[in-house]
Amino acid sequence: MLFGYETSNNKVRFSYWAPYQEKLSIILNDSETLDLEKKDSGMFEGEFSIKEYSRYKLRLGNGEVIPDPFSRFQPEGVHGSSQIININQSYSKREIKKEDMIIYEIHVGTFTSQGNFDGIIEKLDYIKELDVNTIELMPINQFPGDRGWGYDETYLFAVQNSYGGPLSLKRLVKEAHRRNLWVILDVIYNHMGPEGNYLGKLGPYFSNMYKSPWGLSFNLDGTGSDFVRDLILSNVDYWIRYFDIDGFRLDAIHAIFDMSPIHILQRIAERVHKMERVVIAESDLNDPKIIREVDKCGYGIDAQWCDDFHHSLHAYVTGERTGYYEDYGNLEQVKKTLTNGYVYDGIYSKFRNKTFGEKVDDSIDGCRFIVYIQNHDQVGNRGRGERISTLVGKTKQITMAAIYVLSPFIPMIFMGEEYGESNPFLYFSSFSDDQLIQGVREGRKRDNGQDIDPQARETFELSKLSWNIDHEVLNSYKKLIQIRKMINEKCKRKFHVEAGSNYIKFERGEIRIIANFASLLTERKFGTLLFKYGKVEEKEKEYQIEETGVVIEMVARPGFEPGTSGL
């Protein structure tokens, strides 16, 4: 069942589950009233001849008029009229190889000066030349105002009007596919934002038992939850069938509360896999159950973001120890996460003040983890929004990039990172509710130290990419990606790693990586030099790396075996 409306043969069929209402009507173009028929289940249905682009609202039983919570397009924003848009199905079968994925994370509003899907289309050739094959869009659902991160969305099916709306998104996906690029959507099933949220007026869509720090939690296991679960799964279907989306990143699944016999995450994974797509989770649980196969008592999610990798490498290189970084800061942890995924896998966490996580068993390969040295959270949740290029400089950044790009995990680049973007990426919003605005200002200052006003347009404009490209950095990223593609068994987690106090060395097949972060490191030469960066001197039989730098070589001598190269 698809909630909201479907168009076919000049007809529009409406379907709503609204058990709180005795009567439900469509108010068409502020004049015509179309009554829907109520079923015993609380469903309201009706089919009418309506012209495309007509605007409408819903009239509730008490006479209140609201936008359609299942709208496909909100041209006037979260509080305005909904609009009928004919979105033809465009699903096509396509093989998506997880082990080949290299992800590029994009915030639509700040990626280009246009701040919309058409702006991304103009940059697709650049993305293709970078040699990544997957773009991940931060949330594109309708949120309040014309600028924001998107995590305060209040319409599951409507595409943000300031980004160009649904037809513009379809063009972007089509153009990406034409260049053999996959498109992943960041979707939010753990909560719904506060402003413009009319869904709760129709029925028990939100839980009375569970609370989210960001908004109302969906009712996934209480009275009436069958329809809410159907809503989530129909939303998954919608993006794939009507937009040909290749996969999803599920936001903060640790805040998805569900005590049902079969967790909604498993159901989502089953639905996605049935349509031959992929699903990735953001998880703060360090629980391998999320990425285990269903027949091994897991949820069957294809991969998860791995914050332990980011935190251990970031804390070591930057020296930061505040907040969750107090649990990290040495290269032994980087060594552990390179082969295990989790650092905290059943050991005590000082920051959490408890034993945390579970060990990752050998059945889980490296491509079950997404790794990065920055993402929208790790940059934007800093008070000043500093990128890694600003924090550590380009030599250390490229050395860090070599480690994550050539790891056994799926690498993810945050937009602009690959060319050394120095503009910050701050938290910004455009709410209209005064109380909410004040709460956001105070919360960001208290929790993140953000003094610059999130509501100010200047904050949004400061966060846009400058596109001042440092070609030395860009060419380094391109070369690292090329080297990654030379590695056989990209997902193999078991390989040789050595961590010193200031260096880390590891081997991936015939590729050997030496990353140095302090003092002179002299290392024996074994093979053909593929890449070097920093103060690196290449001699006949050895490399000398001063202070910070990276060397990558291909070892192809007779008798060479991984782990015996002198590491």
Side-chain angles (χ1 to χ4, degrees):
M1 177 178 67
L2 190 61
F3 288 70
Y5 68 78
E6 291 183 274
T7 59
S8 178
N9 299 322
N10 298 318
K11 297 280 189 178
V12 180
R13 180 168 185 80
F14 295 93
S15 299
Y16 299 94
W17 183 61
Y20 287 171
Q21 300 300 320
E22 290 300 320
K23 187 176 182 180
L24 194 64
S25 305
I26 305 295
I27 306 301
L28 190 63
N29 298 322
D30 293 327
S31 57
E32 187 177 358
T33 299
L34 307 172
D35 293 329
L36 301 176
E37 180 183 356
K38 186 175 184 179
K39 309 292 184 181
D40 290 340
S41 63
M43 288 297 301
F44 286 83
E45 296 178 349
E47 185 173 83
F48 311 97
S49 295
I50 300 176
K51 292 182 178 180
E52 187 176 9
Y53 306 118
S54 295
R55 302 204 178 188
Y56 70 100
K57 284 191 173 184
L58 300 185
R59 177 179 288 153
L60 307 182
N62 63 1
E64 182 182 3
V65 176
I66 64 171
D68 180 358
F70 305 116
S71 168
R72 306 301 188 250
F73 187 41
Q74 289 295 117
E76 303 167 11
V78 295
H79 300 295
S81 295
S82 307
Q83 188 171 49
I84 300 294
I85 296 286
N86 183 17
I87 307 170
N88 296 321
Q89 293 195 31
S90 56
Y91 169 70
S92 60
K93 287 194 173 185
R94 185 167 45 261
E95 183 180 16
I96 299 174
K97 294 183 178 180
K98 188 178 62 174
E99 63 271 19
D100 292 335
M101 290 177 70
I102 301 173
I103 302 173
Y104 190 83
E105 188 187 20
I106 292 174
H107 177 270
V108 179
T110 57
F111 185 58
T112 65
S113 58
Q114 298 98 309
N116 56 27
F117 299 125
D118 287 342
I120 297 176
I121 291 173
E122 293 180 12
K123 292 290 186 182
L124 287 178
D125 289 335
Y126 165 86
I127 294 171
K128 183 68 176 176
E129 289 171 7
L130 179 60
D131 219 7
V132 302
N133 56 16
T134 308
I135 59 175
E136 178 178 308
L137 301 178
M138 287 176 63
I140 52 82
N141 302 76
Q142 187 69 44
F143 55 80
D146 63 353
R147 58 191 186 277
W149 279 18
Y151 296 97
D152 293 300
E153 57 90 12
T154 49
Y155 289 81
L156 285 174
F157 298 89
V159 179
Q160 176 68 14
N161 58 348
S162 60
Y163 290 170
L167 301 184
S168 184
L169 174 62
K170 280 181 73 78
R171 283 198 305 274
L172 169 59
V173 176
K174 182 178 179 180
E175 288 298 318
H177 288 163
R178 194 166 66 83
R179 294 166 174 82
N180 294 316
L181 296 169
W182 299 319
V183 181
I184 290 176
L185 288 188
D186 191 340
V187 291
I188 308 153
Y189 298 137
N190 57 61
H191 76 284
M192 185 171 277
E195 183 176 339
N197 185 350
Y198 296 95
L199 186 56
K201 294 179 179 292
L202 301 185
Y205 285 94
F206 301 109
S207 176
N208 292 321
M209 295 185 291
Y210 310 120
K211 302 293 183 183
S212 163
W214 311 296
L216 295 172
S217 297
F218 285 102
N219 167 28
L220 299 171
D221 56 10
T223 301
S225 60
D226 285 356
F227 288 93
V228 184
R229 295 167 74 88
D230 284 346
L231 168 64
I232 300 298
L233 296 177
S234 72
N235 188 246
V236 169
D237 279 344
Y238 175 71
W239 296 118
I240 299 175
R241 292 190 185 280
Y242 287 86
F243 295 88
D244 208 15
I245 291 298
D246 298 292
F248 304 92
R249 180 261 192 190
L250 307 180
D251 180 59
I253 60 95
H254 47 273
I256 295 178
F257 306 108
D258 182 12
M259 294 297 290
S260 305
I262 299 180
H263 200 285
I264 190 65
L265 291 173
Q266 181 178 331
R267 289 300 192 210
I268 290 171
E270 290 169 350
R271 186 66 59 94
V272 170
H273 295 156
K274 184 179 180 181
M275 302 180 77
E276 300 177 287
R277 299 303 199 245
V278 298
V279 58
I280 296 164
E282 180 200 14
S283 173
D284 188 36
L285 300 174
N286 279 24
D287 185 353
K289 172 177 62 180
I290 294 158
I291 49 176
R292 282 197 199 109
E293 299 293 349
V294 172
D295 61 6
K296 293 182 173 65
C297 300
Y299 293 154
I301 299 290
D302 291 296
Q304 70 149 98
W305 281 22
C306 186
D307 276 346
D308 271 14
F309 181 96
H310 170 272
H311 296 350
S312 53
L313 187 56
H314 179 97
Y316 168 74
V317 177
T318 64
E320 293 181 0
R321 298 292 185 273
T322 57
Y324 45 68
Y325 290 133
E326 73 171 306
D327 274 343
Y328 305 88
N330 64 73
L331 287 175
E332 282 296 329
Q333 292 173 319
V334 177
K335 174 182 176 179
K336 182 175 182 180
T337 190
L338 271 170
T339 56
N340 290 8
Y342 304 142
V343 172
Y344 287 86
D345 56 358
I347 63 176
Y348 180 77
S349 159
K350 183 179 178 182
F351 173 71
R352 297 173 186 271
N353 193 24
K354 66 175 184 176
T355 300
F356 179 63
E358 182 186 340
K359 290 188 182 297
V360 178
D361 59 73
D362 291 343
S363 68
I364 296 175
D365 66 34
C367 290
R368 293 276 178 175
F369 295 98
I370 312 294
V371 295
Y372 33 80
I373 55 173
Q374 54 186 355
N375 59 40
H376 72 271
D377 276 328
Q378 302 305 333
V379 180
N381 285 329
R382 303 177 65 86
R384 296 181 179 178
E386 307 103 318
R387 293 169 173 270
I388 198 69
S389 57
T390 300
L391 294 175
V392 303
K394 67 180 177 181
T395 303
K396 286 184 178 178
Q397 177 188 336
I398 291 169
T399 304
M400 295 168 74
I403 296 172
Y404 93 90
V405 171
L406 301 179
S407 75
F409 312 126
I410 297 172
M412 185 179 76
I413 299 168
F414 182 55
M415 59 175 195
E417 171 195 328
E418 77 284 357
Y419 67 76
E421 177 62 64
S422 59
N423 279 0
F425 183 75
L426 295 151
Y427 180 81
F428 45 84
S429 58
S430 52
F431 297 112
S432 62
D433 181 273
D434 290 339
Q435 186 175 354
L436 182 57
I437 290 169
Q438 188 61 26
V440 169
R441 284 171 175 159
E442 292 173 355
R444 295 301 297 189
K445 187 169 185 178
R446 179 187 63 247
D447 299 335
N448 305 90
Q450 181 172 334
D451 291 320
I452 186 169
D453 184 4
Q455 277 285 123
R457 177 164 288 276
E458 176 192 12
T459 308
F460 170 66
E461 296 295 337
L462 284 172
S463 300
K464 288 195 173 188
L465 297 189
S466 68
W467 288 100
N468 293 326
I469 294 176
D470 184 324
H471 288 280
E472 186 179 20
V473 177
L474 180 60
N475 290 335
S476 295
Y477 269 77
K478 287 182 177 180
K479 184 63 177 178
L480 291 173
I481 291 170
Q482 291 170 8
I483 295 171
R484 177 180 176 83
K485 294 185 176 183
M486 298 167 60
I487 299 173
N488 294 322
E489 299 181 307
K490 293 182 179 64
C491 303
K492 186 176 181 181
R493 272 178 46 221
K494 299 302 179 183
F495 58 96
H496 187 72
V497 186
E498 178 187 331
S501 58
N502 296 310
Y503 67 85
I504 193 157
K505 311 173 192 176
F506 60 99
E507 300 161 358
R508 303 288 321 288
E510 293 185 332
I511 304 298
R512 181 167 175 254
I513 299 97
I514 308 159
N516 186 46
F517 289 99
S519 69
L520 176 67
L521 177 66
T522 300
E523 178 60 29
R524 187 178 170 191
K525 181 179 180 182
F526 282 100
T528 303
L529 180 66
L530 297 177
F531 178 84
K532 67 177 182 178
Y533 195 83
K535 295 181 180 179
V536 179
E537 185 176 351
E538 182 185 5
K539 297 187 176 181
E540 183 179 355
K541 295 183 178 181
E542 66 182 24
Y543 305 107
Q544 288 189 343
I545 312 173
E546 296 182 25
E547 297 178 356
T548 300
V550 60
V551 168
I552 303 169
E553 63 176 357
M554 174 174 281
V555 181
R557 65 175 177 81
F560 170 78
E561 295 180 3
T564 63
S565 64
L567 289 185

